[in-house]
Amino acid sequence: MSEEQQDLYDEFGNYIGPDLDSSSDDDDSSSEGSRDGNRAPDDASDVSDDDVSRDGGGRTDGAMVLHDGGGEGGGNSLGLAPAASAIVLHEDKEHYPSAEEVYGEGVRTAVLDEDAMDLDEPIVEPVVKKTFSLMRDEKEEKEAYGEGMIRLGSSSGKDGEDLVSDRYLASLVANETTRTRRCLALVGHLHSGKTSLVDLFIEQTKVPLSKGFGLHGPRSAMEAHRGGGPRLTDTLQSEQDRQMSIKSCPVTLCLPDTRGKTFALTVIDCPGHTNFHDESVASLRLADGAALVVDAIEGIMLHTEMLLRQIISEGLPLVLVINKVDRLILELKLPPDDMYHKLRNIIDSVNSFVSHQSNGRYPKLSPDRGNVIFASSMHGYAFSLESFATQYLDQLDFDIDEEEDAFGSFKHHSGLGKNLTPDAFAIRLWGNAYLDPKSQTFKRSASECSPDPITGFSPKRTFVQFILQPLYKMYTLCVGESEKDVEKAFRSLGVLLGKDQLRASARPLMRAAFRKFFGTSTGFVDTVVKHIPSPAAAAKGKVARCYSGPLTSRAVQSMIKCDPHGPLVIHVAKLYAEPDGQSFAAFGRIYSGTVKPGDRVKVLGEAYTPDDDEDMAFATVSSVWIPRGRSKTEVMMARAGNWVLLGGVDSDIIKTATIVGAGKSNFGDDDGDGEIHIFSPLKFPQAGGEPTMKLAVEPLNPAELPKMVEGLRKISKSYPMATTRVEESGEHILFGTGELFLDCVMHDLRTVYSDIEVKVADPVVGFRETVVETSSVKCFSETANKRNKLTFIAEPLDDG
């Protein structure tokens, strides 16, 4: 740079010379452009070959284009400049292919600026799947089996698959007759074996495993509350962790009776803890009968009495199941005679309590009447006297040699199978009934019978001789005999055991042997079919006790007849959370009409009256399912007399609801002869009528209060007896039946329905006492100066 040029700039490189005349530069540039019209300007040199090929003469996205005045050789016929003369702004350049070109159409992409999100927050958050429920997800089912409404059962006969297809079960639900359907609530005290009993019934609907240890292997021979068995009706992870039932669970099974006829039984497995008595109340409201499960050792417990009172108040038929009879043999080691008296004492205790509470209105429970079941869910059998008599008489047809007879007196009564029917023999298997070995006739007293010609002793009661003694001998074989003796003895009964079973420990061996000896629990099905009415037969009594309106309207007559062509009326008494934790499936009984997916219905809440329809909402039934425990079978329709799960109607249901059709053909608000009413809400008189323990809750982050309020609303839906209230101070109060109840509620509130941290105060228990007579002692209080004295007595208030 010359000295003259250096004088034009300061020490910082800024121009300080005279003003420049730019007009000459413009003239020079314009003259050069006129001399070479096709030459692109200097900016065009920045355009790469890729940009030219991509953004050439056909661009329509607003790019700036230079072209000449339109000579013969300048530009094309459309007046556009050649590709080389196109100027593309920097912001319009495409250096990389677009996301649509890379990933294809229909893919949503998110492009975020740097530092726009926290470092610990992902750009695309993963899908969070809640694991509180063990239910099968409907979305996963559809992906696995397609979009069909009914998943067909496999017919390949592989291990663990259903013996009855879902299509056959759906046909039973769609059938207009209700004679092949029953619904019962399985209730009982805590750890009485209800869930393991349902596992036994579910196992009998599956193809048995080739190894012979049952569907769930050797662990099925362990107690459910000690980690044994699958506990299929415990559909919550918290239930599996606590090893106890918290929610009731309906499951529909196809089980055969002794004659081989198949019935669709809807069994509702109810919790046994007193804190969850509300679940049993909701189940008994919908069921047509109750099966009371009693532990053979414990007998009648506190919750057993509460359940009996509730069953009697609902007017439901009662069936008694004495479970865990194996404990009397293996744990208490009672002799057969003492075991008979223990079982009879349990039955007499239940009869005495029921007779006192019902004023003698209920029939007597007795094994010879067929309404008592003896079961051992851990060892895989449940039998009535009739089913055991059938099994016993079938075994007498075997030609048993004396050296192969390990069960004593079988060969001495080979003529019984020809002279007695199972029904006649079953009547003589209970009470004071003795078989005279000489005359082969039954006597009422042992003194009337001749001594046994072999032992010389008087004969035992028929229940002891024909039922308990064979059971004792089978248990003795499994516990203390060698593998060869066990195989030989059971082979004489037609029970063939494999090598894996014979070499197993005592518990799996006993379960395998008894499962093969007794087969399917047809005795339980016979008892349920005989003593629990069908939906059509039970509808009249259920409507009379549960319906709040007059019984003379057309809708009521349709409900009493269980008419599938009548107006749609469904009673919903329980809501079950879906696996997503956001929606609920409504479990209800169809009293009248037919429901299908897509039907428009009216949801009548507990506060609805014909004069005030504020608690009414319209909804659309999205799905209709048959409850199957941990799964649901979706069907196209369900007729009156069925128990189904409904989707899409839960948003306006708080506790219970009455669902009616919204069309004119379903009578809507007016059934023709009068206005439609609702079914009465649930009441809990055996649990005090209302919760007694309250808990104050608030979110750890005050900004998350709306989430907690929404979670409390879902808690109220999920737990029938849970209630919430907002105090004048703004404090949210949660009411429950006990400490365990509130602990489960808080677990669901934190992890299932709200996903927030919640602070709780110390629980408070409300005491309610009364005065029955005037107190005999006067209570007084003096002031500090001893000058004033107040005296009190307590006496009952006058009526009114």
Side-chain angles (χ1 to χ4, degrees):
M1 182 180 295
S2 62
E3 295 180 0
E4 296 179 357
Q5 292 178 340
Q6 290 180 355
D7 294 340
L8 299 178
Y9 298 90
D10 61 6
E11 58 184 356
F12 300 105
N14 299 320
Y15 180 76
I16 58 175
D19 295 336
L20 299 178
D21 187 6
S22 60
S23 59
S24 59
D25 298 338
D26 295 340
D27 296 339
D28 296 338
S29 61
S30 59
S31 60
E32 292 176 0
S34 60
R35 287 193 298 269
D36 190 7
N38 294 330
R39 182 181 177 183
D42 295 339
D43 293 342
S45 62
D46 296 334
V47 181
S48 62
D49 296 339
D50 294 340
D51 294 333
V52 171
S53 62
R54 188 185 305 112
D55 303 314
R59 286 187 64 93
T60 59
D61 55 356
M64 185 180 296
V65 179
L66 293 180
H67 57 88
D68 57 7
E72 294 182 359
N76 52 26
S77 60
L78 296 177
L80 299 178
S85 63
I87 296 179
V88 182
L89 300 179
H90 177 74
E91 58 269 17
D92 294 332
K93 292 182 180 180
E94 294 184 8
H95 299 282
Y96 303 100
S98 63
E100 183 176 354
E101 295 175 357
V102 174
Y103 301 106
E105 298 182 358
V107 177
R108 184 173 61 89
T109 58
V111 180
L112 302 179
D113 297 334
E114 186 178 1
D115 297 332
M117 302 175 63
D118 295 336
L119 293 177
D120 57 348
E121 183 178 357
I123 297 178
V124 179
E125 294 185 1
V127 178
V128 179
K129 184 178 181 181
K130 296 183 178 180
T131 59
F132 75 96
S133 176
L134 301 178
M135 293 282 293
R136 295 178 184 173
D137 197 344
E138 278 298 310
K139 296 180 180 178
E140 295 180 358
E141 288 284 324
K142 290 184 177 180
E143 292 177 359
Y145 300 103
E147 296 293 335
M149 295 296 292
I150 301 175
R151 176 170 61 90
L152 298 179
S154 176
S155 58
S156 60
K158 295 181 180 179
D159 292 348
E161 293 183 349
D162 293 332
L163 290 172
V164 178
S165 66
D166 289 344
R167 184 175 294 277
Y168 178 75
L169 181 60
S171 65
L172 291 179
V173 174
N175 197 351
E176 292 189 6
T177 181
T178 63
R179 289 177 294 179
T180 58
R181 294 194 291 271
R182 297 292 189 276
C183 179
L184 69 152
L186 201 65
V187 297
H189 193 68
L190 181 65
H191 294 329
S192 59
K194 302 178 296 298
T195 301
S196 57
L197 196 62
V198 177
D199 287 343
L200 173 62
F201 300 149
I202 295 177
E203 182 180 350
Q204 294 172 359
T205 63
K206 307 288 184 179
V207 176
L209 296 180
S210 56
K211 293 183 179 181
F213 285 112
L215 182 63
H216 308 290
R219 72 187 182 98
S220 299
M222 298 177 60
E223 292 91 341
H225 66 278
R226 294 181 181 176
R231 305 197 302 274
L232 294 175
T233 51
D234 288 348
T235 59
L236 300 177
Q237 186 61 45
S238 58
E239 292 178 323
Q240 298 286 334
D241 297 338
R242 296 176 184 268
Q243 296 184 359
M244 61 177 295
S245 298
I246 298 175
K247 299 286 187 182
S248 61
C249 179
V251 54
T252 302
L253 304 171
C254 289
L255 295 173
D257 62 356
T258 305
R259 299 174 299 170
K261 186 177 181 179
T262 302
F263 290 85
L265 302 184
T266 300
V267 182
I268 308 175
D269 181 23
C270 302
H273 200 282
T274 53
N275 281 7
F276 305 105
H277 177 71
D278 54 346
E279 297 284 339
S280 300
V281 173
S283 301
L284 292 171
R285 174 59 63 90
L286 295 178
D288 288 335
L292 179 68
V293 183
V294 178
D295 192 307
I297 290 182
E298 296 176 349
I300 295 182
M301 304 295 288
L302 172 63
H303 196 206
T304 309
E305 296 180 356
M306 296 172 59
L307 291 169
L308 284 173
R309 294 191 187 98
Q310 187 66 34
I311 292 170
I312 294 172
S313 65
E314 295 285 346
L316 298 178
L318 178 62
V319 172
L320 178 62
V321 180
I322 302 179
N323 197 16
K324 300 185 179 182
V325 296
D326 58 280
R327 297 183 64 190
L328 300 177
I329 303 174
L330 300 176
E331 295 183 19
L332 297 186
K333 297 181 175 59
L334 294 179
D337 291 328
D338 294 347
M339 182 176 176
Y340 166 78
H341 289 292
K342 174 64 175 177
L343 296 175
R344 182 160 188 170
N345 179 65
I346 294 175
I347 298 173
D348 292 341
S349 300
V350 175
N351 280 325
S352 176
F353 187 86
V354 172
S355 177
H356 176 71
Q357 295 294 328
S358 64
N359 297 323
R361 292 185 291 107
Y362 266 65
K364 182 181 178 181
L365 295 172
S366 179
D368 56 351
R369 296 190 178 189
N371 50 15
V372 176
I373 301 293
F374 302 97
S376 173
S377 56
M378 186 175 65
H379 292 158
Y381 62 84
F383 65 87
S384 62
L385 293 186
E386 183 178 352
S387 65
F388 199 94
T390 303
Q391 180 75 16
Y392 198 99
L393 295 178
D394 290 343
Q395 297 296 332
L396 293 178
D397 295 336
F398 284 91
D399 185 14
I400 304 174
D401 297 333
E402 185 174 353
E403 61 179 3
E404 292 183 348
D405 182 19
F407 298 91
S409 59
F410 275 12
K411 61 179 180 294
H412 302 303
H413 310 293
S414 59
L416 284 176
K418 302 176 182 179
N419 301 327
L420 280 179
T421 62
D423 294 341
F425 189 28
I427 297 175
R428 294 168 174 83
L429 284 178
W430 185 256
N432 295 324
Y434 302 85
L435 180 65
D436 190 349
K438 184 177 181 180
S439 63
Q440 295 293 308
T441 58
F442 292 95
K443 305 295 184 180
R444 284 294 181 184
S445 175
S447 60
E448 301 177 5
C449 301
S450 302
D452 190 276
I454 298 179
T455 62
F457 296 104
S458 299
K460 301 288 185 180
R461 284 183 173 86
T462 53
F463 184 79
V464 175
Q465 179 180 358
F466 292 100
I467 296 181
L468 294 186
Q469 286 183 349
L471 281 179
Y472 270 74
K473 292 176 181 179
M474 283 190 280
Y475 275 109
T476 303
L477 282 171
C478 296
V479 172
E481 298 298 331
S482 63
E483 176 184 335
K484 183 178 179 181
D485 294 338
V486 172
E487 192 274 336
K488 186 177 181 180
F490 278 103
R491 182 182 292 273
S492 66
L493 295 178
V495 177
L496 304 179
L497 299 175
K499 291 183 179 180
D500 294 338
Q501 298 168 339
L502 291 171
R503 295 172 182 174
S505 59
R507 286 178 181 268
L509 175 59
M510 285 186 289
R511 182 176 177 87
F514 282 111
R515 286 283 290 111
K516 288 193 174 183
F517 178 77
F518 286 99
T520 307
S521 301
T522 57
F524 178 81
V525 181
D526 292 338
T527 301
V528 169
V529 172
K530 181 179 179 181
H531 295 279
I532 294 180
S534 63
K540 183 176 181 180
K542 296 288 291 184
V543 172
R545 286 186 296 269
C546 303
Y547 190 67
S548 62
L551 303 180
T552 57
S553 62
R554 288 176 54 190
V556 172
Q557 296 302 319
S558 179
M559 287 189 286
I560 292 176
K561 296 177 182 178
C562 207
D563 185 10
H565 304 289
L568 178 63
V569 180
I570 303 175
H571 181 202
V572 174
K574 185 71 177 74
L575 295 175
Y576 293 98
E578 294 288 356
D580 58 1
Q582 301 298 322
S583 58
F584 292 84
F587 180 58
R589 173 196 176 119
I590 306 176
Y591 278 93
S592 174
T594 302
V595 62
K596 300 184 294 295
D599 285 352
R600 187 73 172 168
V601 296
K602 290 181 180 179
V603 180
L604 311 180
E606 294 181 350
Y608 172 84
T609 61
D611 298 330
D612 184 8
D613 60 353
E614 182 178 357
D615 195 7
M616 181 192 72
F618 288 91
T620 301
V621 179
S622 60
S623 301
V624 180
W625 297 290
I626 303 174
R628 302 293 300 277
R630 293 190 183 182
S631 62
K632 299 176 293 186
T633 300
E634 192 170 3
V635 294
M636 295 292 295
M637 62 179 297
R639 299 182 185 273
N642 286 289
W643 291 261
V644 295
L645 293 168
L646 302 177
V649 298
D650 61 289
S651 59
D652 299 297
I653 301 177
I654 299 178
K655 297 289 186 182
T656 64
T658 303
I659 296 179
V660 298
K664 294 183 179 179
S665 59
N666 290 283
F667 299 144
D669 289 330
D670 191 350
D671 60 3
D673 292 336
E675 296 169 321
I676 195 73
H677 291 72
I678 64 170
F679 287 88
S680 302
L682 297 177
K683 297 180 180 180
F684 310 96
Q686 312 307 327
E690 60 182 14
T692 58
M693 184 175 288
K694 64 180 181 179
L695 194 67
V697 296
E698 64 173 325
L700 186 63
N701 183 7
E704 295 178 331
L705 180 61
K707 289 184 178 181
M708 191 193 74
V709 173
E710 179 65 20
L712 291 175
R713 190 177 72 88
K714 294 178 180 178
I715 287 292
S716 182
K717 289 173 173 284
S718 180
Y719 292 85
M721 208 169 177
T723 56
T724 58
R725 189 173 65 195
V726 181
E727 299 289 350
E728 295 180 358
S729 60
E731 201 174 32
H732 291 267
I733 305 298
L734 184 63
F735 293 87
T737 57
E739 184 178 355
L740 178 61
F741 182 92
L742 290 177
D743 185 59
C744 296
V745 167
M746 293 307 302
H747 172 270
D748 291 350
L749 180 62
R750 289 188 175 107
T751 62
V752 179
Y753 301 122
S754 293
D755 293 330
I756 61 174
E757 289 295 329
V758 179
K759 296 188 300 183
V760 298
D762 293 335
V764 178
V765 179
F767 293 94
R768 291 171 175 80
E769 299 177 349
T770 187
V771 179
V772 295
E773 61 182 11
T774 304
S775 59
S776 59
V777 178
K778 294 183 179 180
C779 300
F780 67 90
S781 177
E782 294 180 346
T783 58
N785 57 6
K786 305 294 182 179
R787 294 180 178 273
N788 299 306
K789 182 178 180 180
L790 297 176
T791 304
F792 302 92
I793 61 171
E795 60 181 6
L797 297 175
D798 296 334
D799 296 337

